[in-house]
Amino acid sequence: MIELAYELARSEPLEDVSFVRLAKILGVVPGALHYHIGTKDDLTSAILNRFYKQLLARLIEISEDLPWRERLRRFACILMTCERDHRGAAEYIQTKAKFRVFQKVRSGETDYGAAYLDHAFGMFREAGFDAEQSAMFYHVLALHCLAAANSHVAHLEPAEHERFLLKQASSLPAGTMPGLDFALRAFSGIRADDAFEFGLEALLDRFAAARRSEPKQTVHDGVS
């Protein structure tokens, strides 16, 4: 049941994945699904927990032997790709607070949202950033990935609308909007992937500039 809901949400908002719809596809009454899953919140959280589980599985594959910058680059690329490939999760995470990270799980189940964030913060710590830097740098990097993913899903890249943009600009009296004359043609050719890469490199440069020269040693059992 959860797998079906998860797959449906790949291409549509989570709000559209209803118990009535799932029951119709599965050939059962909605009450049967409520009995096994619970409320709509339970269903939403289960979908997001599945999303974070698959995301975390890919992130764990990043080699710890890589330089910190390459590890964070791969982290960002995987995060953006997973969000881009699951419209429901990406749109929900961007617009809702509930279940953005922590999930509703039953006794003995893993909260993969929490496990994902634990892994993400750990990567920044291992890169040599302090707690405040790790928190802020993770946040802005995650926002960049989410914006890029949703831009792709919503077809917001300028290049996808190049013909329309140039046509509209050509209908304006010549010389009345010099800013458009100057940069609209270049703007209309921008691809979402190129914008993502540009922003990612700018963020990593900023992280590098703020990075401590010598990471503090991790304390284990009172011994540094």
Side-chain angles (χ1 to χ4, degrees):
M1 292 180 288
I2 300 303
E3 185 63 29
L4 172 60
Y6 178 82
E7 289 301 320
L8 289 174
R10 281 186 178 276
S11 57
E12 57 191 75
L14 289 187
E15 289 81 359
D16 292 349
V17 182
S18 67
F19 281 99
V20 172
R21 185 174 175 202
L22 290 172
K24 185 176 181 180
I25 295 173
L26 294 170
V28 300
V29 296
L33 300 186
H34 282 287
Y35 176 79
H36 288 287
I37 298 175
T39 66
K40 175 64 173 179
D41 273 357
D42 293 312
L43 176 61
T44 296
S45 184
I47 293 171
L48 290 171
N49 209 39
R50 179 68 59 88
F51 169 78
Y52 282 119
K53 179 180 181 179
Q54 296 194 4
L55 169 60
L56 182 60
R58 293 189 59 184
L59 293 177
I60 290 174
E61 294 177 354
I62 300 174
S63 173
E64 296 181 358
D65 296 329
L66 292 171
W68 72 267
R69 182 169 180 137
E70 181 59 23
R71 286 191 74 196
L72 291 185
R73 157 174 275 286
R74 295 191 185 191
F75 166 84
C77 290
I78 290 172
L79 176 58
M80 191 277 289
T81 299
C82 287
E83 290 173 333
R84 185 180 62 190
D85 291 344
H86 202 285
R87 175 185 173 184
E91 289 183 349
Y92 188 93
I93 292 168
Q94 187 168 42
T95 59
K96 302 291 191 299
K98 186 183 288 186
F99 311 130
R100 184 176 297 173
V101 176
F102 294 103
Q103 306 306 314
K104 291 180 68 175
V105 294
R106 298 172 183 175
S107 178
E109 293 180 341
T110 300
D111 183 341
Y112 285 102
Y116 153 75
L117 193 59
D118 174 71
H119 183 79
F121 286 161
M123 290 187 69
F124 279 90
R125 180 187 60 197
E126 291 158 11
F129 299 107
D130 62 30
E132 289 73 22
Q133 290 172 326
S134 296
M136 178 60 75
F137 293 171
Y138 163 76
H139 182 59
V140 296
L141 187 61
L143 284 178
H144 177 62
C145 294
L146 190 58
N150 281 317
S151 176
H152 176 86
V153 170
H155 306 287
L156 297 179
E157 69 172 8
E160 191 164 340
H161 308 283
E162 182 175 16
R163 182 176 299 178
F164 171 79
L165 291 170
L166 296 178
K167 180 181 178 181
Q168 291 300 109
S170 67
S171 67
L172 299 172
T176 58
M177 294 191 178
L180 288 180
D181 294 340
F182 173 68
L184 182 65
R185 183 169 294 278
F187 172 76
S188 66
I190 293 176
R191 299 282 180 184
D193 286 346
D194 294 334
F196 171 72
E197 287 292 333
F198 179 86
L200 177 57
E201 287 303 316
L203 286 173
L204 292 174
D205 285 345
R206 176 64 180 84
F207 299 168
R211 185 170 177 265
R212 297 190 304 254
S213 59
E214 289 293 336
K216 294 179 181 178
Q217 292 181 320
T218 304
V219 176
H220 294 291
D221 299 326
V223 180
S224 62

